[in-house]
Amino acid sequence: MAQILRSEKGGYSKKDVLKKMDAYGSLLFALDCGMDSESAMAELENIKTMPIEREEDGFFARSGFSVEDTDAYFAEMEEKILNKINGEV
C-alpha cells in the first residue's frame, strides 16, 4: 500500500490527517500484537469519527492533503483493519 498524498490548496489539514494516520497505524500494530476483535472494532469506530479540518480556501489558502487521496487512503486502511479483525489477513 504505497500511496502518496498530494498537496492541494484548501485540502485536509496535514496535522489532522497525520494524527488519524498514526491512530490507524497504532490499531494495526495492536492487532498484530493480539488485540481482541471487539476492542479493535470499538477503536476503529473512534478513529473513523476523528475530525479532519479543511484548510481555508481562497487566494492565500494554505496547502493541505488532497481530499480525494486522503479519503482513498483511509478507506484502504479501514479495509485492511477489518480484514485483520475478521482473520482474512
Side-chain angles (χ1 to χ4, degrees):
M1 175 185 330
Q3 185 170 355
I4 296 175
L5 301 179
R6 296 172 291 176
S7 288
E8 69 181 16
K9 293 245 184 211
Y12 284 140
S13 162
K14 290 183 178 184
K15 180 185 87 169
D16 290 345
V17 169
L18 293 174
K19 186 175 173 181
K20 195 166 186 170
M21 289 171 102
D22 186 49
Y24 278 122
S26 294
L27 179 53
L28 279 171
F29 180 75
L31 282 165
D32 288 340
C33 292
M35 178 183 236
D36 66 279
S37 60
E38 188 175 316
S39 298
M41 283 299 292
E43 183 61 23
L44 178 59
E45 288 305 314
N46 286 337
I47 294 169
K48 288 168 68 172
T49 61
M50 289 174 70
I52 301 178
E53 298 288 323
R54 291 200 52 175
E55 296 294 347
E56 290 187 31
D57 216 357
F59 185 71
F60 294 108
R62 293 178 56 173
S63 288
F65 285 122
S66 163
V67 172
E68 181 182 349
D69 293 351
T70 304
D71 289 343
Y73 176 77
F74 287 153
E76 282 182 36
M77 291 296 289
E78 289 170 19
E79 183 178 347
K80 186 174 184 174
I81 289 168
L82 287 171
N83 286 340
K84 278 189 177 275
I85 290 171
N86 295 324
E88 296 173 16
V89 175

